[in-house]
Amino acid sequence: MSQTVTRGKRLVDHFEIGLDAPICLTWELTYACNLACVHCLSSSGRRDPRELSTAECMTVIDELQRMQVFYVNIGGGEPTVRRDFWDLLDYATGHDVGVKFSTNGSRITAEVARRLAGSDYVDVQVSLDGATAPVNDAIRGAGSYATAIRAMERLAEAGMRNFKLSVVVTRNNVPQLDLFAAIADRYGAQLRLTRLRPSGRGADVWDALHPTAAQQRQLYDWLRERGERVLTGDSFFHLAAYGDPLPGLNLCGAGRVVCLIDPVGDVYACPFAIHDAFLAGNVRTAGGFTEVWRHSELFTRLRRPQTGGACSSCAHFDSCRGGCMAAKFFTGLALDGPDPECVLGHGESLLALRGSEPAPRPAADHSRAAVNHARRPAPACDESPLAGLEVIR
Amino acid sequence: MSFDLERPWRLHRQVALRPEPFGALAYHFGNRRLSFLKTRKLLAVVQALGEHPTGRDACRSAGVGEDELTAYARALEALAASGMLVERESR
Ligand code: SF4
Ligand code: SF4
């Protein structure tokens, strides 16, 4: 191959100091969701009365256009529950802001599918967390497997190519990786695997559901074999410590290339870090989103060189960089130490040593009183969107 | 296939360029690929392509020296391979 593709240190340095505008912006439009997945990262369920109005959302889109944010990853909640969802989608694509949105599939009618297939500026992610109904529905709720499959059928029929089948990898579905790939092939979709993080309701199930050490190895080998055909949103870069890095940038992009706007306009460093400690500001304040992105105290701090703490002496630090900040935070580990899923097992030993002090809880909980065992769309943008990023020099 | 500097090129219509302090980001809305242009000069070349009769002229107008041409041709080739650049009809 003659392409000049590198992911050398210098590039990482560029991204570490942050960009003028995010590359990967997740925007959760509503906390309302018709499902209630056990691992929902935003603890969604009920709508929040303070959610941004249609006009406010349009103002944010205008700003994104000025900042040249190429696309936003829209999630929720279930974004299509918002009555103005389709208007906002048209408004964004009409203002040079592409949209990728995550859905549990429940509202993808044949007509909607045709509409989506007709636009180059819209991409869709259908969430599925088991390749079979029992495995999926245990996480996302009864009937959700059938719903997602039906949505994919409709998208495929409408001629939508390369939409995403988005899977959060858990202990229960690692054995199904090949099956997921087959489902994606069947509908002309692209498989996207992302990491389960202990964020939102995910915190409650993480211990029981995150892949075992042996499964992580299996996942790594599987991903290596598939190469760039399977997307990961760069979410498994902590596995790079097994040997060769996986495709992607291998960097925690929080506040540097990644951020989240939540339904009430709060801006967090990453969709998996919904906690006051990672709250940078609100789009409703003077200067709007641009000001928060470029000058907030938190983002400025995150863009300064970070120390690797206990990890800096590790031989894998260059590729692993201590893993995911959010995963550490919500499991109660030090931010400058190893990831809870450190492939050398350091995270596990630290988890075992944790005191009785409870780990930090997410800032907002919009779960309905009875969070059954159900679903919610995986976040559209799982941190770094840079899988497939090419560096041209 | 290597980049033909003697032919006319332009940016694909679905590509957006975003200047950054150290170069630029290019995003292709059609194939959803993101590329990172590592220098401002490369950005200038890419922006100039559509207005010059050949790739070589565009490079020259952006201040690319003879000794840098090979490296720039390689970068342009990578951009062409990911669909960011397309050949114009030659007159
Ligand atoms: S590594 Fe973790 S904290 Fe960092 S951007 Fe990704 S999900 Fe967010
Ligand atoms: S010690 Fe830190 S850098 Fe090394 S593999 Fe574990 S998490 Fe990664």
Side-chain angles (χ1 to χ4, degrees):
Chain A
M1 214 166 84
S2 51
Q3 291 181 6
T4 318
V5 178
T6 48
R7 44 185 98 87
K9 235 190 145 103
R10 284 209 46 219
L11 175 64
V12 168
D13 294 343
H14 288 314
F15 283 110
E16 271 188 341
I17 57 171
L19 301 176
D20 284 351
I23 301 177
C24 181
L25 170 64
T26 297
W27 187 359
E28 313 217 310
L29 278 180
T30 179
Y31 280 117
C33 188
N34 50 338
L35 305 184
C37 303
V38 289
H39 59 342
C40 178
L41 82 161
S42 57
S43 305
S44 284
R46 288 166 290 118
R47 187 183 165 273
D48 190 307
R50 297 165 304 154
E51 287 178 6
L52 298 179
S53 68
T54 307
E56 285 173 316
C57 288
M58 288 178 174
T59 305
V60 172
I61 294 169
D62 292 342
E63 240 188 298
L64 300 180
Q65 180 182 26
R66 282 195 298 273
M67 292 175 88
Q68 277 198 283
V69 171
F70 302 126
Y71 58 88
V72 290
N73 301 280
I74 290 189
E78 168 58 39
T80 59
V81 165
R82 258 188 88 124
R83 227 170 283 136
D84 57 4
F85 176 74
W86 300 105
D87 292 336
L88 290 175
L89 190 122
D90 287 343
Y91 190 81
T93 56
H95 287 76
D96 305 323
V97 178
V99 171
K100 302 187 183 181
F101 80 92
S102 285
T103 175
N104 53 37
S106 56
R107 297 186 176 221
I108 308 291
T109 60
E111 195 206 322
V112 165
R114 273 195 299 277
R115 187 166 171 181
L116 294 171
S119 171
D120 275 339
Y121 290 79
V122 182
D123 197 8
V124 185
Q125 285 191 169
V126 179
S127 306
L128 194 70
D129 291 335
T132 52
V135 171
N136 177 77
D137 293 2
I139 303 269
R140 303 181 63 79
S144 59
Y145 180 84
T147 302
I149 295 287
R150 204 178 318 117
M152 288 191 283
E153 267 165 24
R154 287 177 179 153
L155 289 168
E157 259 163 42
M160 180 105 188
R161 299 290 305 159
N162 279 321
F163 62 91
K164 312 296 176 290
L165 165 57
S166 191
V167 177
V168 176
V169 178
T170 64
R171 195 167 298 181
N172 302 349
N173 67 22
V174 170
Q176 302 187 313
L177 293 176
D178 286 330
L179 289 175
F180 282 118
I183 296 176
D185 284 346
R186 190 180 327 140
Y187 300 109
Q190 208 172 0
L191 181 59
R192 184 167 192 277
L193 301 181
T194 58
R195 183 173 175 193
L196 174 70
R197 296 188 179 79
S199 312
R201 284 200 290 273
D204 304 327
V205 294
W206 187 82
D207 280 334
L209 281 183
H210 80 99
T212 63
Q215 288 179 324
Q216 292 212 74
R217 178 77 221 200
Q218 189 189 337
L219 172 65
Y220 172 79
D221 292 336
W222 194 86
L223 287 172
R224 290 278 306 158
E225 210 174 282
R226 301 268 156 167
E228 310 221 339
R229 275 179 298 150
V230 174
L231 305 174
T232 63
D234 213 6
S235 67
F236 298 107
F237 67 89
H238 67 296
L239 300 181
Y242 279 129
D244 298 312
L246 298 162
L249 190 65
N250 299 311
L251 158 87
C252 168
R256 299 160 171 154
V257 295
V258 175
C259 77
L260 166 77
I261 302 178
D262 89 345
V264 301
D266 281 342
V267 181
Y268 291 92
C270 154
F272 295 93
I274 304 182
H275 188 280
D276 284 350
F278 304 110
L279 175 60
N282 189 291
V283 302
R284 281 174 168 142
T285 53
F289 174 71
T290 317
E291 177 66 22
V292 177
W293 176 261
R294 297 200 177 144
H295 304 297
S296 66
E297 192 268 319
L298 174 75
F299 286 180
T300 309
R301 181 149 42 84
L302 286 174
R303 291 165 195 167
R304 280 203 287 264
Q306 314 275 310
T307 60
C311 285
S312 44
S313 57
C314 172
H316 304 298
F317 185 65
D318 262 357
S319 49
C320 165
R321 304 194 148 245
C324 170
M325 180 181 80
K328 293 189 263 205
F329 185 77
F330 289 116
T331 50
L333 298 184
L335 292 189
D336 63 353
D339 189 282
E341 291 179 311
C342 162
V343 304
L344 301 179
H346 295 319
E348 241 169 296
S349 354
L350 288 166
L351 288 177
L353 290 174
R354 270 177 314 184
S356 50
E357 213 174 294
R361 301 293 305 172
D365 193 335
H366 294 78
S367 305
R368 286 185 293 261
V371 167
N372 42 346
H373 282 245
R375 32 285 123 88
R376 95 134 224 154
C381 165
D382 200 281
E383 102 283 4
S384 195
L386 303 174
L389 173 88
E390 290 170 74
V391 184
I392 316 286
R393 26 155 156 230
Chain B
M1 190 198 86
S2 67
F3 190 84
D4 192 343
L5 280 173
E6 310 313 326
R7 301 199 52 86
W9 294 85
R10 65 171 169 81
L11 199 61
H12 190 284
R13 293 188 209 294
Q14 279 181 295
V15 173
L17 291 173
R18 183 171 105 198
E20 285 287 343
F22 32 75
L25 291 164
Y27 183 70
H28 193 310
F29 281 95
N31 62 25
R32 307 204 169 87
R33 293 175 84 152
L34 182 69
S35 291
F36 180 77
L37 277 49
K38 272 199 137 175
T39 64
R40 276 287 172 128
K41 212 192 265 185
L42 179 56
L43 171 64
V45 172
V46 168
Q47 286 169 328
L49 281 174
E51 286 137 37
H52 289 85
T54 68
R56 186 183 298 275
D57 290 314
C59 286
R60 220 175 268 139
S61 82
V64 175
E66 284 302 316
D67 52 330
E68 299 172 306
L69 259 182
T70 325
Y72 275 79
R74 219 182 302 120
L76 293 170
E77 183 192 334
L79 285 170
S82 51
M84 301 275 175
L85 303 180
V86 289
E87 270 196 55
R88 293 197 314 250
E89 300 294 304
S90 42
R91 278 146 292 182

